Amino acid sequence: DAVAAEPEGHPVKAPMVGVFYAAPAPDAKPYVRVGDMVEKGQVICIIEAMKLMNDITAPASGRIVDICTQDGAVIEYGQTIMKIV
């Protein structure tokens, strides 16, 4: 059975349609990188929707194991944008 199991942990889902930004400004360092430890409630990225910048926070404390989208990409509601274990 070659079905890939979803890793244990907390997928971070997009709460809205918008543009994913990994950093607060084009010349700034990203909020998080794969391997970083985060605390619940910590800002981990921004989604721009209708010209508003919305802080997206970690749903749980843990380690970022995957960032599932590219900086500047349009994302859909409910899309997994990161994984925390």
Side-chain angles (χ1 to χ4, degrees), residues 4-12 60-66 80 82-85:
E6 204 43 37
E8 281 299 310
H10 303 274
V12 180
S61 297
R63 184 170 46 85
I64 303 287
V65 292
D66 193 13
T80 299
M82 290 186 199
K83 293 179 184 165
I84 299 173
V85 295

Side-chain angles (χ1 to χ4, degrees), residues 32 36-44 57-63 84:
V32 295
D36 286 356
M37 296 301 293
V38 296
E39 295 295 321
K40 182 176 181 173
Q42 176 181 336
V43 175
I44 54 175
T57 59
S61 297
R63 184 170 46 85
I84 299 173

Side-chain angles (χ1 to χ4, degrees), residues 10-76:
H10 303 274
V12 180
K13 304 268 188 196
M16 65 197 72
V17 174
V19 180
F20 170 85
Y21 292 110
D27 57 348
K29 70 181 187 93
Y31 286 108
V32 295
R33 298 179 196 275
V34 172
D36 286 356
M37 296 301 293
V38 296
E39 295 295 321
K40 182 176 181 173
Q42 176 181 336
V43 175
I44 54 175
C45 65
I46 293 174
I47 296 177
E48 178 186 359
M50 297 186 296
K51 304 291 182 204
L52 292 176
M53 297 297 183
N54 300 278
D55 289 345
I56 306 303
T57 59
S61 297
R63 184 170 46 85
I64 303 287
V65 292
D66 193 13
I67 298 175
C68 308
T69 189
Q70 296 294 315
D71 192 46
V74 175
I75 54 172
E76 299 296 325

